[in-house]
Amino acid sequence: MTDATHPASTEPEPGVIPQPASAPSASPVHAPLSPASPTIQATLPAPGRGLNDDPLWYKKAVFYEVWVRSFRDSTGTGTGDLNGLISRLDYLAWLGVDCIWIPPFFPSPERDGGYDVELFTGIQVQLGTHQGMKTLLDEAHARGIRVISDFVVNHTSADHPWFIASREDPDGEYGDYYVWRDDDTGYPDARIIFIDTEESNWTFDPVRKQFYWHRFYSHQPDLNYENPKVVEEILDALRFWLDLGVDGFRLDAVPYLIEDEGTNCENLPGTHDILKRIRAMVDEEYPGRMLLAEANQWPNEVVEYFGDGDEFHMAFHFPVMPRMFMALKQGSSKAIREILADTPELPENCQWATFLRNHDELTLEMVTEEERQYLWNEYAPVPKMRLNLGIRRRLAPLLDNDERQIRLMHAMLLALPGSPVLYYGDEIGMGDNIWLPDRDGVRTPMQWTSELPGAGFSEANSYLFPKPIPCVPPFGAQDVNVADQQANPDSLLNWLREILAQRRKHEVFGLGDFQQIDCDDSILAFSRNQGSTHVFCLNNLTAWPQLAEVKMAGFEGRVPAVLSGSIGEAPEVITEDYRIELPPYGYVWLLFSDPPANDSARN
Ligand code: BGC
């Protein structure tokens, strides 16, 4: 019954075509990726590009979350799978992604998109096999791409054999693996997270005739971390995937591991102790691998998850995300500036993970009640667009499909402190489907081509697709797809690829310090600085042209290079009072480097 006793199969499993872990062929290659996507082009990286051995790789990386079930179906079943993802790695390498994050792929009844895990060391049969996962890791690594896996530490599915045993035999080996009580009065100060569906954090189990504790859906009982055996089980399950070669984990819902009466049961010292044990194991046994925390908390609480550089390497910066949306609507940088000013410094070996959207609702937990109402009114006017304390929409529809705003939000994301985490499909501006239940509307199939019904995602009959492919303008596959955008040099996709390439060339974005710059509120102005490299980032948050006026003392006589931006060239710095006009929702990254890389000193 112990998860870690299920060994990884070394033989390919029936029905799975083994994929060679070969190095990619010589570049550049413009070749079709598969017969299903005749027009998708990929320029492969140089052969043997492989992984670098930089232990701080995550500080400079660009991450990309792939909802595997909706990315590419290799078997004609209508569900995306690991082999499908493998067949799209060239695309991700072409785009310029450094690390893929794959949400849970473990066996699961899938009542919460796979976050309801039935076996921590298995693979959901529709998604592939251990051999397929190994191939994915090898093929990604050969392209210089790392892979981190989600891992759900806080709870399991109620279908997990541990829970079944725990219900049936309170005195048995698994009796104490979950949090059981005779009544439902414990921990009254803990909030309910899924407020749209759950009425209590306790649910009565008719078999054991006791209540069990759960922070999420009632079919997701929380593990009992007071039980040392649970900690050992989880450590072993993590080792299992680390042995297979994953480069780290996004640990799901980490604030809730330990409960304590009289507290809100979040961020408790006991929780940090357990997380530090996980980190110590990783450092000792798998140096170079990375842990990313999902802790939807305020900056002063989330920094606790970095410890003294001995807990998480990375943590999502939840509060900055809704403030980027707020700033854009208000045409004012105030909200972003304030939250960044409140964000403590991190230990040297740590990094924020920043994001615009992901597979969940756009969470509005880290804003005030008044701000939440504002954001709901502005971005989710229709009740169907709302879920729990958030908004279940994708980036492009949130931004009225206005490409200037989509580019501006990405430009800010890529330049602000932290490593950006992109969400599949946002690179082409995919839409959502608010008529689907829960968060399914932001998890629809990737639109590779315009060819319906499968849009390059699948050759199956479309009635087999768990989530339909959008086919209505302006977000249908005919309007928004990878192949068309690859062919169009002015597309959002090609723009993003370009700006990612610039970011990759200049490690100041990952490693440099961050300075806010005084400027009119309508412009978010900051610089990133590392040694003699300085990048000034100016972002016009309004729908009107704006004159950005900033101080540039010390750069007189120099002409900055435009690394990326809505303007072609930048004027010379004549006096310290620098002025540059930005178009509506325009942005610019101005580089000064010494010796000048692209910027030129004028005599
Ligand atoms: C995941 C959600 C999931 C929840 C419960 C989260 O933080 O991102 O998708 O529903 O954990 O596992």
Side-chain angles (χ1 to χ4, degrees):
M1 186 171 297
T2 305
D3 263 350
T5 58
H6 289 75
S9 47
T10 45
E11 292 300 314
E13 299 187 29
V16 174
I17 303 155
Q19 310 253 345
S22 55
S25 50
S27 69
V29 172
H30 293 281
L33 287 183
S34 84
S37 51
T39 47
I40 299 168
Q41 304 294 311
T43 305
L44 300 185
R49 175 179 142 200
L51 294 183
N52 60 44
D53 54 8
D54 180 357
L56 298 180
W57 61 270
Y58 50 88
K59 292 189 73 166
K60 294 182 277 185
V62 171
F63 292 73
Y64 182 98
E65 180 185 7
V66 186
W67 195 257
V68 177
R69 292 161 176 82
S70 293
F71 206 57
R72 164 74 188 147
D73 164 21
S74 73
T75 55
T77 55
T79 296
D81 49 50
L82 295 174
N83 280 343
L85 170 54
I86 293 168
S87 73
R88 292 296 186 263
L89 286 173
D90 288 338
Y91 165 75
L92 296 175
W94 171 87
L95 181 58
V97 164
D98 301 296
C99 183
I100 310 168
W101 152 27
I102 38 178
F105 46 83
F106 316 101
S108 161
E110 296 205 22
R111 280 177 281 173
D112 182 13
Y115 285 87
D116 43 338
V117 178
E118 219 180 276
L119 176 66
F120 282 121
T121 53
I123 295 191
Q124 180 79 323
V125 70
Q126 296 91 335
L127 299 189
T129 61
H130 290 96
Q131 179 62 47
M133 177 57 96
K134 179 81 183 101
T135 307
L136 169 66
L137 295 168
D138 291 344
E139 291 286 331
H141 291 167
R143 289 161 176 78
I145 297 177
R146 288 182 163 83
V147 181
I148 62 167
S149 143
D150 232 302
F151 195 93
V152 188
V153 268
N154 180 66
H155 47 265
T156 67
S157 160
D159 294 1
H160 196 294
W162 295 344
F163 189 68
I164 294 168
S166 197
R167 305 169 72 189
E168 286 170 356
D169 186 3
D171 301 319
E173 199 183 340
Y174 298 92
D176 223 7
Y177 267 45
Y178 296 85
V179 183
W180 294 99
R181 292 290 180 276
D182 290 333
D183 60 43
D184 61 356
T185 58
Y187 315 130
D189 301 328
R191 70 192 164 114
I192 294 169
I193 296 168
F194 285 169
I195 52 170
D196 284 1
T197 42
E198 302 301 317
E199 284 173 3
S200 167
N201 287 326
W202 293 105
T203 291
F204 184 71
D205 175 47
V207 176
R208 180 153 159 164
K209 300 197 174 30
Q210 276 190 313
F211 291 85
Y212 61 90
W213 178 250
H214 55 87
R215 293 310 303 269
F216 294 92
Y217 285 122
S218 57
H219 57 73
Q220 290 166 314
D222 274 32
L223 286 161
N224 174 19
Y225 274 93
E226 303 283 1
N227 180 349
K229 281 199 286 182
V230 168
V231 183
E232 291 308 327
E233 295 270 20
I234 294 300
L235 286 171
D236 280 348
L238 293 170
R239 286 187 183 103
F240 179 90
W241 296 110
L242 290 163
D243 284 339
L244 201 71
V246 302
D247 297 286
F249 299 100
R250 170 208 186 250
L251 295 187
D252 183 65
V254 292
Y256 318 107
L257 301 188
I258 291 279
E259 299 76 38
D260 202 358
E261 220 39 88
T263 74
N264 68 358
C265 299
E266 298 185 21
N267 314 318
L268 297 181
T271 292
H272 286 289
D273 292 344
I274 287 157
L275 295 169
K276 283 196 166 78
R277 273 199 66 190
I278 294 177
R279 171 62 182 268
M281 179 278 283
V282 170
D283 279 358
E284 219 169 278
E285 300 172 33
Y286 306 90
R289 316 289 177 98
M290 189 276 288
L291 296 175
L292 163 61
E294 191 220 13
N296 193 350
Q297 304 286 330
W298 291 99
N300 64 324
E301 280 151 346
V302 88
V303 287
E304 300 287 318
Y305 289 89
F306 294 105
D308 295 322
D310 58 354
E311 205 168 313
F312 279 90
H313 303 80
M314 296 184 72
F316 287 104
H317 196 316
F318 277 94
V320 81
M321 178 275 297
R323 285 168 180 79
M324 291 173 74
F325 286 93
M326 198 145 76
L328 194 61
K329 242 350 147 189
Q330 295 177 331
S332 163
S333 61
K334 193 160 168 276
I336 302 178
R337 284 190 285 111
E338 285 176 357
I339 201 73
L340 291 174
D342 282 352
T343 299
E345 288 289 316
L346 300 184
E348 202 45 40
N349 58 347
C350 296
Q351 178 68 302
W352 292 111
T354 50
F355 64 105
L356 298 172
R357 290 296 296 113
N358 62 24
H359 65 283
D360 284 329
E361 69 272 31
L362 187 166
T363 161
L364 299 178
E365 284 174 41
M366 292 301 117
V367 294
T368 64
E369 182 55 39
E370 196 186 335
E371 291 167 337
R372 185 176 308 130
Q373 291 303 332
Y374 173 79
L375 287 162
W376 262 334
N377 290 340
E378 293 291 340
Y379 286 107
V382 175
K384 271 257 170 223
M385 295 174 174
R386 303 179 185 184
L387 180 73
N388 299 318
L389 291 185
I391 302 175
R392 45 196 216 104
R393 300 184 73 192
R394 261 194 184 266
L395 185 68
L398 280 166
L399 303 182
D400 300 326
N401 206 18
D402 178 350
E403 204 169 309
R404 298 168 308 172
Q405 295 186 53
I406 299 172
R407 291 183 186 206
L408 174 64
M409 288 289 265
H410 275 105
M412 292 194 288
L413 179 80
L414 298 179
L416 283 169
S419 292
V421 184
L422 309 175
Y423 185 50
Y424 87 96
D426 282 349
E427 74 269 30
I428 51 170
M430 263 170 54
D432 50 40
N433 182 347
I434 59 169
W435 304 102
L436 296 179
D438 202 347
R439 290 148 288 177
D440 287 0
V442 300
R443 302 171 182 176
T444 56
M446 183 71 175
Q447 297 167 195
W448 295 103
T449 71
S450 60
E451 291 153 40
L452 290 171
F457 158 67
S458 172
E459 281 76 65
N461 227 314
S462 57
Y463 69 78
L464 287 173
F465 300 170
K467 300 167 192 73
I469 294 186
C471 52
V472 183
F475 294 114
Q478 310 93 315
D479 314 289
V480 177
N481 65 71
V482 171
D484 287 354
Q485 291 203 23
Q486 280 194 316
N488 173 4
D490 298 326
S491 66
L492 176 63
L493 179 63
N494 275 312
W495 169 83
L496 186 67
R497 180 171 180 249
E498 268 300 305
I499 194 171
L500 288 175
Q502 289 296 353
R503 190 183 193 280
R504 178 191 285 260
K505 267 192 229 155
H506 301 278
E507 62 175 32
V508 62
F509 291 107
L511 303 180
D513 76 7
F514 167 81
Q515 299 278 326
Q516 302 216 32
I517 296 176
D518 280 343
C519 196
D520 185 77
D521 261 3
S522 59
I523 289 166
L524 176 70
F526 58 88
S527 67
R528 303 300 312 271
N529 310 286
Q530 185 191 25
S532 55
T533 301
H534 306 273
V535 182
F536 286 75
C537 305
L538 308 174
N539 305 279
N540 175 6
L541 296 160
T542 75
W544 297 274
Q546 297 287 349
L547 191 64
E549 299 182 79
V550 290
K551 294 272 183 229
M552 283 202 183
F555 296 98
E556 292 88 346
R558 292 173 69 176
V559 182
V562 175
L563 281 189
S564 178
S566 331
I567 53 168
E569 287 183 357
E572 178 184 354
V573 184
I574 295 173
T575 70
E576 66 167 23
D577 294 310
Y578 191 68
R579 292 166 169 216
I580 185 166
E581 187 170 303
L582 295 173
Y585 298 120
Y587 75 95
V588 68
W589 290 359
L590 301 173
L591 168 75
F592 296 96
S593 59
D594 197 10
N598 298 318
D599 71 305
S600 43
R602 281 206 183 153
N603 299 324

